Amino acid sequence: MILYILRRLLSVAVTFFVVSLIIFLMMHSIPGGPFDGNDMPVSAAVREQLMSRLGLDQPLWVQYVRYMTGVLQFDFGVPYQSPGETVIQLLSRAWIPSLVLGGLGVLIGTPLGILLGMAAALNRNTWIDYLASGFATLGLTVPVFVTSMLLILVFAVWLNWLPASGWGKPERWILPIVAYAAIPIATYARYTRSAMLDTLNRPFVTVLRAKGLSERRIIFQHVLRNSAIPMVTVFLPMFIGTATGSIFVEAMFRVPGLGAYFVSSIQTRDYPLEMALMLMITFMYCIAYLLSDIAYAWLNPRIRTGGSQ
Amino acid sequence: MNIVLKAAAALAVATALTVPALAQTTIVAPSGVTTGTYMDYMKTVYARATLAELLQVPLATFDKEFELTPMAAESWSQSEDGLTWTFKLRPGLVWSDGEPLTAEDYVFALQRAATTGYDFAWYWDFAGGIKGWKEVTEGKADVSTLGLKAVDDLTIEVTTNAPKPYLPSVTSLWYPVPKHVVDKLGDDWALNVDTVVSSGPFDLESWEKSNNSVVLTKSDTYTGPWQAQIDRLEVDPTLAAPEVGLPAFLAGDADYSFLNTGQVPVATQRFPDGIRKNAVFATSYISFDMDSPPFDNVDVRRALYYAVDRAELTSTVLKDIAIPAGSILPPGYPGYNPEIAAQAVFDPEKAKEHLAAAGFPNGEGFPEIEIWYREEGGYNGAIVPAMAQYLQAEFKEVLGITMNIRVLPGQDWMDGLLNKKNNIFIAPYEYDYLDPSNFYGIFYNGGRHGYHVQEYDDLVAKADSEPVWEERLKLYAQAEQVMIDQAEIVPLVHPITIAVISDQLGGDAATPNSLGFTPLDRLGHYFFTHLTKQ
């Protein structure tokens, strides 16, 4: 098991550097630079001075090596958009709202989705199943900005129960968390339903039933665990996707989170921030897949030994 | 009993603490989105933090009737040769840290702007015409050669290249920079709430960089005209999109919200007294490459001028977000001439005649053209794409011309315009300072479009330095007549924005001016200091 984890860690490191190189090259291949503003570009002399101060006049490979050397020492540079702080400081301040809202959305949505999926699977082809599947389909197909708008209209404007948007007081968190939670609820409802149906039809369940095990034990101890693999696959990537902030949810609910920086860093060619955001996501996905693999191995010993059925 | 007493005491303390807080008036307002790098208008305009300008006091500014009003300057005078202006500062003005505000702070602001890559530096050459500005910004002359001087603590002297009778109105964007703070902290003074000092009617309480929202409070130290009448002002750029702003307004989270076309009827029905129109002083027009066919022919350009039904365009396609434009100047703008605007009529017959005179009867033989517009958000983003499609249909129907449409990123569009990579464009322009020379200047001597119409250039040059206002207006009117006769442009529409305001808002700022406009987002100094809340 330890050897397995070490092997995987090594592949994470390799992936991280390959991805960093690709991102760096792609970032610099977009036409335009940080000082080629749309409105009134600065004069050539000033641009040269700025480029040289930021090291952008160096050959690309020098810039890459410099940046990555910094990264290894946790120095991601200073964002061009917000020169009063470091990239790390910016991320740690802007990420909090995204992490709180998106994270809570996933943490609340996941168990709800599993319950919904179980209810659907155990009551297959009844109105419960249709209702749950219908809800899940809606949750996946209706864009999040429409869900957000509906939530605001119903709960803030018509019923006047909750504030429409903003950040700060916890009552302002409720609607965006619900908007975020819709995605894991829908995703998990569908995955759980199909995985459970699949498992329920397996011969070992019939054997367990024949042995006289209670239905509750069969479901929770055997069926759910055997259906867990696809759910594990989905969980961490979804958590990362949501907890780094959705630009739509954050815009609709006026949350000062990370979402907008994904767009603005590309638009303004804020190289240090853009690179940091992408590396952060890459790193998180690498770790997420590593953890998922470990979880698989724990759930299904055949995976870690590479054995076949 | 003890518990009851304790509870009563706690309640009394809580009430005492909350009552003064309740008495405070706070306005929650939307604002245009910028990236918010520096809280310093004189460091960056395009990437400035929200309402950075409201923290500082300009030499002069405009009221809601667009009349120039002295602010930090108490008075000004022009020398006999017209080249030198002397501004006298109001005594007793101070920075929020108690330091006196002096002429040196104003002069320093522009000296720094000229030498450190200010993104609005062109304004002081284009609008201000300050002596030596170009040479200093290009690094060819020392900053001491600029036509700027702090004669004493309260006197500023400005020398211009040519007589600039409208220089005082240009100074509405001249804000001081606290030299004593910059000497200590450099540009970083404007990066943190703790180090920002203000000279204007508001102080900075907080600044959320992630969404560039700010909380300003009424200044205790500002002694100049236009004191704030509210205690706190929360300005949030994320409320600027009507799709977000209106629901927040309806839920009581914002005191006013801008509206998109779809929202106008609903909001008008629910809040008939709360609807306000806001003039943005902008014009959308068609511009041509007048050096290459088919637009080198004045008849072709005239044909397009007469083929646009501006009333239909604004009453159907652009309902409520634009008004017809017959002049490059918007109504209410200084120097607006209704007689010139009235000439821009929709006359399909005349349009056809002009096209036939150019050798293309009913559009026969006319080359397929492609109109270029730039991709953008805001009020232009709301009107231009729909307008392009309207024009496409209109030109086909009236003139038999096939016109394709192409949307380009801002830079490519500008490059196409300046380097004549295409021959027809939809061009938007918004004023930079309130004087006719601003709009006429963009067509002057090559300007923005590479036009060189000698007669026009001569008239504009003469008008720009004419000291008598009425005479200037006559010259500008003649220049614009040349522009219209030559069909250098086809004026299309003036965008406006519409907002709904809460019935709790009051004061002079909430009441429309004599033209029916309320200055909701351009004349910040006037608006936010003349707004009250019940």
Side-chain angles (χ1 to χ4, degrees):
Chain A
M1 186 76 178
I2 290 174
L3 198 70
Y4 171 76
I5 294 176
L6 283 177
R7 214 168 53 217
R8 293 295 323 237
L9 271 176
L10 188 72
S11 83
V12 163
V14 173
T15 313
F16 184 74
F17 279 98
V18 171
V19 171
S20 75
L21 191 65
I22 295 174
I23 296 168
F24 190 84
L25 290 175
M26 282 176 72
M27 199 170 77
H28 284 272
S29 66
I30 303 175
F35 308 107
D36 302 336
N38 257 353
D39 301 299
M40 286 293 156
V42 293
S43 72
V46 172
R47 185 190 291 117
E48 234 166 71
Q49 186 193 327
L50 288 166
M51 298 286 271
S52 123
R53 203 175 69 208
L54 297 167
L56 294 170
D57 54 346
Q58 301 289 320
L60 267 191
W61 70 269
V62 175
Q63 294 185 41
Y64 176 76
V65 171
R66 265 192 198 168
Y67 190 81
M68 289 310 285
T69 317
V71 166
L72 292 177
Q73 300 160 38
F74 282 98
D75 173 10
F76 290 82
V78 170
Y80 303 161
Q81 295 174 65
S82 185
E85 56 192 337
T86 62
V87 166
I88 302 264
Q89 284 168 331
L90 185 152
L91 292 181
S92 47
R93 117 182 113 70
W95 199 5
I96 293 170
S98 305
L99 192 65
V100 168
L101 299 183
L104 283 175
V106 175
L107 292 182
I108 293 169
T110 304
L112 287 178
I114 293 177
L115 285 177
L116 200 65
M118 281 172 68
L122 298 175
N123 299 283
R124 196 180 177 188
N125 295 339
T126 65
W127 65 269
I128 298 179
D129 184 18
Y130 297 141
L131 198 71
S133 305
F135 184 80
T137 312
L138 272 183
L140 284 179
T141 50
V142 177
V144 67
F145 53 86
V146 175
T147 323
S148 305
M149 182 53 82
L150 281 174
L151 287 170
I152 293 174
L153 277 183
V154 173
F155 294 101
V157 177
W158 291 343
L159 300 174
N160 218 347
W161 289 351
L162 292 165
S165 50
W167 170 249
K169 294 180 189 141
E171 67 256 32
R172 298 188 184 271
W173 301 358
I174 298 172
L175 291 182
I177 288 176
V178 173
Y180 274 126
I183 305 158
I185 291 178
T187 313
Y188 268 101
R190 290 177 64 87
Y191 271 99
T192 311
R193 180 182 179 274
S194 67
M196 276 194 69
L197 285 177
D198 191 42
T199 317
L200 281 169
N201 288 333
R202 301 262 286 276
F204 81 91
V205 177
T206 318
V207 173
L208 290 175
R209 283 197 177 122
K211 276 172 75 181
L213 247 64
S214 74
E215 194 65 19
R216 181 181 293 178
R217 260 186 88 179
I218 295 176
I219 300 293
F220 285 97
Q221 208 170 344
H222 298 278
V223 177
L224 204 57
R225 182 168 172 175
N226 277 285
S227 317
I229 289 213
M231 297 190 228
V232 169
T233 315
V234 183
F235 182 77
L236 283 171
M238 186 163 61
F239 184 81
I240 295 169
T242 314
T244 46
S246 148
I247 185 163
F248 297 115
V249 174
E250 290 185 354
M252 296 300 295
F253 291 103
R254 304 194 292 123
V255 178
L258 206 53
Y261 282 116
F262 283 91
V263 181
S264 72
S265 67
I266 296 173
Q267 270 179 348
T268 61
R269 310 283 189 276
D270 189 345
Y271 297 137
L273 183 60
E274 196 179 342
M275 205 51 197
L277 283 168
M278 295 300 160
L279 288 181
M280 182 183 95
I281 297 276
T282 309
F283 184 72
M284 286 167 71
Y285 274 106
C286 284
I287 295 300
Y289 283 116
L290 178 68
L291 292 178
S292 301
D293 286 349
I294 294 170
Y296 291 160
W298 173 69
L299 286 165
N300 187 347
R302 281 187 312 241
I303 290 177
R304 70 173 167 257
T305 54
S308 58
Q309 254 183 318
Chain B
M1 191 59 193
N2 202 6
I3 294 173
V4 175
L5 271 178
K6 271 185 186 165
L11 200 68
V13 171
T15 318
L17 286 175
T18 48
V19 164
L22 282 176
Q24 282 216 330
T25 47
T26 298
I27 285 180
V28 183
S31 100
V33 185
T34 56
T35 52
T37 310
Y38 287 93
M39 188 57 80
D40 180 357
Y41 192 92
M42 302 308 285
K43 167 75 186 162
T44 165
V45 169
Y46 298 113
R48 71 185 184 276
T50 298
L51 288 189
E53 64 275 28
L54 205 56
L55 295 177
Q56 312 302 348
V57 56
L59 284 185
T61 192
F62 293 92
D63 66 13
K64 73 171 171 185
E65 299 294 346
F66 313 112
E67 292 289 339
L68 190 65
T69 312
M71 291 290 280
E74 201 173 39
S75 63
W76 47 74
S77 59
Q78 193 177 12
S79 66
E80 273 199 11
D81 61 0
L83 293 173
T84 305
W85 284 88
T86 307
F87 292 87
K88 281 277 173 203
L89 292 187
R90 219 172 272 281
L93 291 173
V94 289
W95 290 99
S96 55
D97 60 2
E99 287 289 315
L101 173 68
T102 65
E104 184 65 31
D105 292 317
Y106 285 90
V107 171
F108 173 68
L110 283 190
Q111 285 177 337
R112 171 170 163 263
T115 47
T116 55
Y118 185 43
D119 55 8
F120 208 57
W122 58 275
Y123 173 82
W124 295 100
D125 182 45
F126 167 72
I130 293 175
K131 191 175 145 258
W133 188 269
K134 225 183 164 117
E135 293 75 12
V136 173
T137 49
E138 285 169 358
K140 291 178 192 152
D142 189 76
V143 68
S144 59
T145 60
L146 273 183
L148 294 167
K149 205 160 101 189
V151 178
D152 57 45
D153 277 359
L154 297 180
T155 315
I156 304 170
E157 218 174 71
V158 183
T159 314
T160 53
N161 291 320
K164 289 270 173 189
Y166 52 89
L167 192 79
S169 75
V170 172
T171 68
S172 66
L173 297 183
W174 189 354
Y175 300 97
V177 170
K179 186 167 183 303
H180 65 286
V181 182
V182 178
D183 282 345
K184 237 188 295 173
L185 302 171
D187 290 345
D188 287 5
W189 80 278
L191 290 172
N192 296 299
V193 176
D194 302 338
T195 52
V196 170
V197 294
S198 56
S199 58
F202 288 95
D203 288 338
L204 181 63
E205 181 185 295
S206 67
W207 173 18
E208 173 56 69
K209 290 190 181 181
S210 301
N211 57 15
N212 203 9
S213 61
V214 294
V215 178
L216 308 182
T217 51
K218 180 183 162 77
S219 166
D220 300 329
T221 49
Y222 176 65
T223 57
W226 297 7
Q227 304 267 339
Q229 298 177 50
I230 49 172
D231 300 302
R232 291 174 90 245
L233 174 62
E234 290 181 28
V235 184
D236 190 341
T238 59
L239 286 168
E243 298 72 28
V244 178
L246 183 62
F249 172 80
L250 293 174
D253 284 355
D255 285 298
Y256 61 94
S257 169
F258 291 100
L259 301 172
N260 64 30
T261 345
Q263 295 169 338
V264 174
V266 187
T268 311
Q269 198 183 14
R270 277 193 62 180
F271 308 97
D273 299 329
I275 301 297
R276 295 291 183 276
K277 276 190 208 170
N278 174 45
V280 288
F281 286 152
T283 308
S284 264
Y285 57 92
I286 293 178
S287 105
F288 308 102
D289 172 6
M290 300 204 301
D291 293 329
S292 69
F295 299 112
D296 55 349
N297 187 324
V298 65
D299 276 311
V300 172
R301 304 194 299 262
R302 294 287 280 174
L304 265 54
Y305 174 81
Y306 284 118
V308 183
D309 188 346
R310 296 164 182 83
E312 187 185 74
L313 171 64
T314 49
S315 64
T316 56
V317 182
L318 305 180
K319 195 159 172 50
D320 303 316
I321 50 172
I323 52 175
S327 160
I328 187 69
L329 301 184
Y333 193 85
Y336 174 72
N337 187 326
E339 281 166 30
I340 286 176
Q343 296 170 23
V345 290
F346 172 53
D347 190 336
E349 288 315 310
K350 237 176 174 164
K352 283 182 186 135
E353 281 167 24
H354 278 291
L355 198 62
F360 308 105
N362 299 316
E364 284 159 27
F366 196 85
E368 210 170 282
I369 52 172
E370 188 176 71
I371 197 161
W372 288 11
Y373 71 84
R374 71 178 180 201
E375 190 180 20
E376 59 190 315
Y379 60 81
N380 280 323
I383 63 170
V384 175
M387 190 159 66
Q389 288 178 15
Y390 178 87
L391 293 172
Q392 182 182 42
E394 187 92 344
F395 291 159
K396 182 90 209 165
E397 193 186 311
V398 177
L399 300 171
I401 287 177
T402 302
M403 182 175 81
N404 300 311
I405 300 170
R406 187 160 164 205
V407 50
L408 291 102
Q411 244 167 322
D412 297 335
W413 177 88
M414 200 67 196
D415 180 46
L417 188 72
L418 290 174
N419 299 313
K420 304 188 174 186
K421 292 186 175 165
N422 187 38
N423 53 14
I424 179 166
F425 301 85
I426 292 182
Y429 192 81
E430 185 186 328
Y431 84 107
D432 288 302
Y433 60 101
L434 276 174
D435 186 85
S437 59
N438 185 184
F439 277 96
Y440 294 123
I442 59 180
F443 306 99
Y444 173 71
N445 194 23
R448 187 191 198 193
H449 298 284
Y451 296 160
H452 284 281
V453 179
Q454 200 54 50
E455 197 184 349
Y456 173 85
D457 284 357
D458 292 345
L459 286 162
V460 170
K462 218 166 144 192
D464 277 354
S465 50
E466 168 59 52
V468 182
W469 175 244
E470 286 71 25
E471 291 303 314
R472 277 186 78 206
L473 288 191
K474 271 188 210 157
L475 289 165
Y476 281 133
Q478 288 172 28
E480 184 160 14
Q481 194 60 58
V482 172
M483 188 179 188
I484 296 295
D485 291 343
Q486 288 292 316
E488 286 179 50
I489 63 162
V490 174
L492 297 168
V493 299
H494 302 296
I496 57 170
T497 52
I498 297 209
V500 57
I501 69 167
S502 146
D503 56 8
Q504 290 184 317
L505 294 188
D508 284 351
T511 326
N513 68 9
S514 56
L515 293 161
F517 293 119
T518 311
L520 288 164
D521 69 352
R522 290 303 189 271
L523 304 177
H525 275 91
Y526 177 84
F527 185 69
F528 291 115
T529 54
H530 288 75
L531 200 58
T532 60
K533 191 176 176 182
Q534 277 172 12

